[in-house]
Amino acid sequence: MLGQDSAIDVYRQALPIILVSLVAGLFSGTLLGTEAMREGIESVPGILLLLPAFLATRGGVYGSLGARLSSGLHQGLIDPHFEWNDRLRNAIVASFCNGMIVSVFIAVLSWGVLLVLGREANLLELLIVLIVAALLSAFAMLGVLLTVIFKGYRRGLDPDNVIGPVVTTVGDVFGVVFLLIGISVAGVVL
């Protein structure tokens, strides 16, 4: 990836990803309207409160990782052929830890807000839901992110042009699905 992309190049690379993101975003919204999700929302007080924060942090945490890896590829610090090294491993571990820690923080903060508002809340339930969802979304996000960045780069795509929409879309779609799985796990455990 030498030189600078023209506006047409950026548009050509980003438009297909943005269109896929649009369709996937509509799918994610459809998932929110399913009977299973409505039941989950009703059964776990605080899910609607923490949902936007959880989804936003997937994009934030893994978007930062995407930017870090993209910069490393452009600067020649990371080999375009996926190879485990300290730089890559440290970036992935830091993002994973950030995602997990932020998810626990979201659960605790949501629980606190619910208590202040005089609403019923179960901290353990919120923690189980978010830890399960964060763990599953981390594996999904990392898999998609690493694949898109390294394969795209080798095929001539600038990761800077595509990784933002990919990360936010994957975070939204998988985040909603994995929250639902987390609700189910919490229901079984508690």
Side-chain angles (χ1 to χ4, degrees):
M1 305 251 59
L2 298 174
Q4 292 187 290
D5 293 336
S6 70
I8 299 294
D9 291 334
V10 172
Y11 182 77
R12 182 184 54 80
Q13 290 178 21
L15 183 62
I17 300 295
I18 291 170
L19 293 175
V20 169
S21 294
L22 171 69
V23 172
L26 292 172
F27 174 73
S28 181
T30 303
L31 288 175
L32 282 172
T34 63
E35 186 65 30
M37 194 65 184
R38 284 196 303 268
E39 288 173 5
I41 290 168
E42 291 173 7
S43 69
V44 181
I47 288 296
L48 281 180
L49 176 63
L50 60 77
L51 177 68
F54 178 73
L55 296 180
T57 57
R58 299 308 92 192
V61 167
Y62 295 99
S64 295
L65 173 62
R68 193 173 304 116
L69 296 179
S70 181
S71 294
L73 284 167
H74 288 304
Q75 295 170 356
L77 302 172
I78 295 177
D79 185 23
H81 301 284
F82 185 82
E83 179 182 305
W84 281 108
N85 60 37
D86 287 341
R87 182 178 301 276
L88 183 60
R89 186 176 16 262
N90 291 341
I92 290 171
V93 168
S95 292
F96 177 82
C97 290
N98 284 342
M100 296 303 293
I101 291 167
V102 166
S103 295
V104 168
F105 180 73
I106 292 168
V108 172
L109 187 60
S110 296
W111 174 75
V113 168
L114 288 170
L115 290 180
V116 168
L117 295 174
R119 304 275 314 271
E120 182 182 315
N122 182 333
L123 178 58
L124 182 58
E125 185 175 44
L126 292 175
L127 285 168
I128 291 170
V129 169
L130 278 187
I131 288 171
V132 167
L135 187 62
L136 293 173
S137 67
F139 290 120
M141 299 280 294
L142 287 169
V144 170
L145 179 76
L146 293 172
T147 301
V148 168
I149 286 177
F150 285 99
K151 284 192 175 193
Y153 188 83
R154 286 195 310 268
R155 291 187 175 141
L157 293 176
D158 183 345
D160 290 332
N161 296 338
V162 297
I163 205 59
V166 168
V167 166
T168 56
T169 299
V170 170
D172 288 351
V173 172
F174 284 120
V176 170
V177 170
F178 294 147
L179 276 173
L180 189 54
I181 291 171
I183 291 168
S184 297
V185 169
V188 170
V189 171
L190 300 176

